[in-house]
Amino acid sequence: MIDDASGDRSLVVVSNREPYVHEYADGEPTVERPAGGLVSALDGVVTETGGTWVAWGSGDADFDPAVAPDGEIELPPGAADSTAADDPPGYTLSRVDLPRRLVENYYYGYSNQVLWPICHLEADPVTVDPEFAPAYREANRLFADHVVAADPDVVWFQDYHLALAPGYVREERPDARLVQFWHVPWPTPEFFEICPQAVELLRGLLGNDAVGFHLERYAANFRDCVAQFVPDAAVMESGEVRYDGRTVETYASPIGVDADRVAENARSDAARHYWDRVVDRYDLDPNRSVVLGVDRLDYTKGIVERLDALAHLLETNPDLAGEFTYVQKGTRTREGIPAYRRYYDEVRDRIAELDRVHGTADWTPAVYIEDDVDDRELAGLYRNADVAVVSSRRDGMNLVAKEFVAAQGRPFPNAGLAQARGLGTPTRDRVPGALVLSQFVGAAESLCPAALSVNPYDVSTFAGTIREALAMGENERRDRMDSLRSSVREADIDAWLATQLDVLAADERAAPANDD
Ligand code: ADQ
């Protein structure tokens, strides 16, 4: 229930991905909480408020719907986490069963070959197939049906997979409060009009009472699109849109991470053990710096540009040979799409090439890790990196940059004293890592200039910036990390959630569909 001045209202959260991975061992369902920071944050909210979560019945985008169970699952208190003995009430997970045809055309098709590239200003990967848009409509209609069946007062839609669902729900529930958070950038009108369904999508989103973005810039682009493409909508100076006799609010709210939890994870035994295993497995020399990249293998993340910059760095700076190891932590993603399969091959080829051209008998310049890690193991990588590089060509926010900062932790004020008191041996942890950050990610707005800003397309300047980060002295690292840390803490996941809950609980309901 969402509390507001008018009493408790029931909440429905809607996302493409479901918050839990369900496994059926010996016919018995077991529930597992996925590692993702955002999902567990949202899960915390719905667990506390109660209500319903509507999602595609797969925790795994590559799953086989033919064997997936459909229907509703009651998540009792603490169902997903056996350590959470005194959890508040659970909630209902209402699973949308998407047939294979829809998975291909709605998820791999329209969502990820039309909307994803357009929102990231990438025209080349956009593929317009006649099957895609009808499947997107059909899937959004299914999500909307599940929402309406849950009889909500307040609905919270997540992301770009669900642009039409709010319009469909609005048809059935003119009285409900509908809010959507758009996790990717919103492009300019010149770019958005590549989308053949531009107007239909905008109308769908205007079914909401409020639409949120990470940055004011994205919200402004959205309003510009509405002003240009929806003739019967009026964009007000206040940032609100008048449409269909209702007022639609647009707002900016940068998402963050659970900084305390990441810091704690980074100090955990699991983090240390995982890092030790990585050091062993790849024979990493403690005298060499570690440069880290952590990405889904998505062309928007600028991994190829980063590897080009590293190659350029080694070509133009022979003195750096043997001085660092680049560790790429990758996760394969959306492998049903040819452009992603090609990207995976390209990343692997570039890494092999880097090692072939620049490697020596006792030095491998770049290593690729694809382990299935949990949050603590991932934090172990962040913690031990001397330089982290986030070089997205475009990214709504980018949580990897913020997690890296949060994992650096506070340096020990007095290393000797800490050691004497049995607080462990403070080694390289005491000198924080440096962050190289693309100017094209949402996180750059709050993290630069404390992070070294790069244009990932400008390979030689990018290489120079990595060199600068490697050479950065201890004092500068500390100063920059102090500033980064306070930015990450100030806009953490709790701050983001508090804003969303305020928007969800706002008193102003959707007015009936007339203006007088
Ligand atoms: P993503 O594009 O998935 O999210 P990002 O925010 O960088 O991008 O990462 C999400 C999570 O995935 C992070 O918490 C990170 O720990 C994890 N992750 C990424 N690569 C990983 C790897 N190789 N191994 C293990 N874990 C990995 C979208 C938008 C972003 C926006 C988020 C949240 O594209 O811009 O920040 O949603 O709104």
Side-chain angles (χ1 to χ4, degrees):
M1 296 283 179
I2 291 272
D3 285 329
D4 73 345
S6 56
D8 288 343
R9 293 190 276 162
S10 68
L11 172 68
V12 172
V13 171
V14 200
S15 65
N16 175 63
R17 289 296 189 92
E18 67 174 315
Y20 293 90
V21 176
H22 300 266
E23 286 178 355
Y24 284 73
D26 304 327
E28 286 299 310
T30 59
V31 203
E32 205 178 284
R33 190 193 297 259
L38 171 62
V39 166
S40 51
L42 297 186
D43 178 65
V45 170
V46 199
T47 303
E48 231 170 84
T49 58
T52 302
W53 191 323
V54 175
W56 170 27
S58 159
D60 168 6
D62 298 315
F63 92 128
D64 181 355
V67 299
D70 180 28
E72 291 197 345
I73 293 186
E74 293 293 334
L75 291 171
D81 182 354
S82 55
T83 60
D86 52 1
D87 262 2
Y91 59 88
T92 304
L93 179 59
S94 171
R95 314 175 92 194
V96 181
D97 181 22
L98 297 179
R100 170 67 71 191
R101 172 182 59 83
L102 284 189
V103 173
E104 271 161 22
N105 294 305
Y106 142 77
Y107 177 76
Y108 290 114
Y110 199 83
S111 297
N112 286 315
Q113 293 186 70
V114 179
L115 270 180
W116 174 269
I118 287 176
C119 287
H120 289 88
L121 310 185
E122 299 271 1
D124 276 0
V126 174
T127 306
V128 176
D129 179 299
E131 306 273 322
F132 289 175
Y136 189 80
R137 288 184 196 110
E138 199 180 330
N140 270 254
R141 187 67 81 175
L142 286 174
F143 279 97
D145 290 347
H146 278 66
V147 170
V148 172
D151 193 23
D153 298 311
V154 181
V155 185
W156 188 15
F157 296 96
Q158 305 294 320
D159 229 350
Y160 64 98
H161 315 86
L162 299 167
L164 297 178
Y168 299 155
V169 172
R170 177 63 69 205
E171 289 165 10
E172 304 292 321
R173 290 295 307 267
D175 58 317
R177 181 161 177 84
L178 311 184
V179 177
Q180 185 143 10
F181 196 85
W182 194 263
H183 289 265
V184 292
W186 191 280
T188 56
E190 291 72 24
F191 214 92
F192 188 59
E193 68 184 334
I194 292 175
C195 180
Q197 291 75 32
V199 180
E200 185 182 351
L201 294 177
L202 289 166
R203 290 190 188 281
L205 285 166
L206 291 173
N208 287 295
D209 295 292
V211 187
F213 302 87
H214 292 303
L215 305 182
E216 178 46 41
R217 195 152 36 97
Y218 306 155
N221 286 346
F222 174 76
R223 292 191 295 268
D224 288 349
C225 287
V226 170
Q228 275 201 38
F229 304 132
V230 188
D232 49 325
V235 177
M236 321 298 282
E237 290 228 337
S238 59
E240 291 166 331
V241 178
R242 293 291 299 161
Y243 176 72
D244 197 23
R246 293 175 296 106
T247 300
V248 183
E249 184 195 340
T250 55
Y251 67 101
S253 170
I255 199 166
V257 298
D258 185 340
D260 286 334
R261 186 167 159 188
V262 175
E264 204 177 292
N265 285 341
R267 287 193 301 262
S268 68
D269 288 345
R272 194 150 16 92
H273 292 151
Y274 180 66
W275 178 249
D276 288 346
R277 284 210 302 282
V278 168
V279 167
D280 265 6
R281 199 192 312 162
Y282 299 101
D283 202 14
L284 299 183
D285 183 334
N287 295 315
R288 291 188 173 122
S289 299
V290 171
V291 180
L292 177 70
V294 173
D295 313 84
R296 282 189 303 104
L297 295 185
D298 191 302
Y299 53 83
T300 62
K301 301 292 180 187
I303 308 166
V304 164
E305 288 77 1
R306 191 184 311 156
L307 292 166
D308 284 350
L310 286 165
H312 186 83
L313 179 70
L314 290 170
E315 276 153 28
T316 52
N317 295 268
D319 59 308
L320 287 183
E323 291 296 314
F324 68 88
T325 306
Y326 175 65
V327 175
Q328 173 67 55
K329 170 70 184 73
T331 302
R332 295 198 220 189
T333 181
R334 302 175 192 168
E335 288 183 282
I337 300 173
Y340 282 80
R341 292 198 297 272
R342 284 197 300 274
Y343 197 69
Y344 172 78
D345 290 341
E346 205 176 341
V347 167
R348 297 305 303 264
D349 288 351
R350 286 283 212 291
I351 289 177
E353 174 86 351
L354 202 63
D355 290 342
R356 190 181 59 74
V357 174
H358 298 282
T360 61
D362 68 349
W363 178 51
T364 306
V367 302
Y368 177 78
I369 306 180
E370 209 177 73
D371 297 345
D372 195 6
V373 294
D374 66 21
D375 288 1
R376 290 176 307 168
E377 292 165 332
L378 183 61
L381 294 180
Y382 290 138
R383 177 81 160 193
N384 287 284
D386 299 285
V387 175
V389 187
V390 170
S391 53
S392 309
R393 293 157 64 98
R394 197 63 63 175
D395 215 327
M397 177 53 62
N398 192 284
L399 296 180
V400 167
K402 295 190 172 189
E403 288 165 6
F404 167 71
V405 168
Q408 298 303 301
R410 286 216 154 272
F412 285 104
N414 182 331
L417 194 64
Q419 220 169 349
R421 291 187 176 166
L423 293 176
T425 312
T427 52
R428 61 197 301 160
D429 280 351
R430 291 187 305 118
V431 182
L435 177 61
V436 174
L437 186 61
S438 163
Q439 68 189 78
F440 304 124
V441 309
E445 206 165 83
S446 62
L447 300 186
C448 292
L452 297 176
S453 169
V454 283
N455 175 344
Y457 296 89
D458 179 358
V459 168
S460 64
T461 312
F462 187 176
T465 308
I466 297 175
R467 186 184 171 99
E468 189 185 338
L470 280 165
M472 193 186 288
E474 196 172 323
N475 288 342
E476 186 176 349
R477 280 170 182 265
R478 282 188 201 292
D479 289 349
R480 286 178 180 271
M481 190 50 72
D482 276 349
S483 157
L484 289 169
R485 200 181 288 116
S486 48
S487 304
V488 165
R489 288 193 164 273
E490 198 179 307
D492 67 357
I493 190 72
D494 287 343
W496 181 79
L497 280 174
T499 304
Q500 311 318 307
L501 289 173
D502 280 353
V503 175
L504 289 165
D507 265 333
E508 200 180 306
R509 306 283 188 99
N514 65 52
D515 263 330
D516 37 49

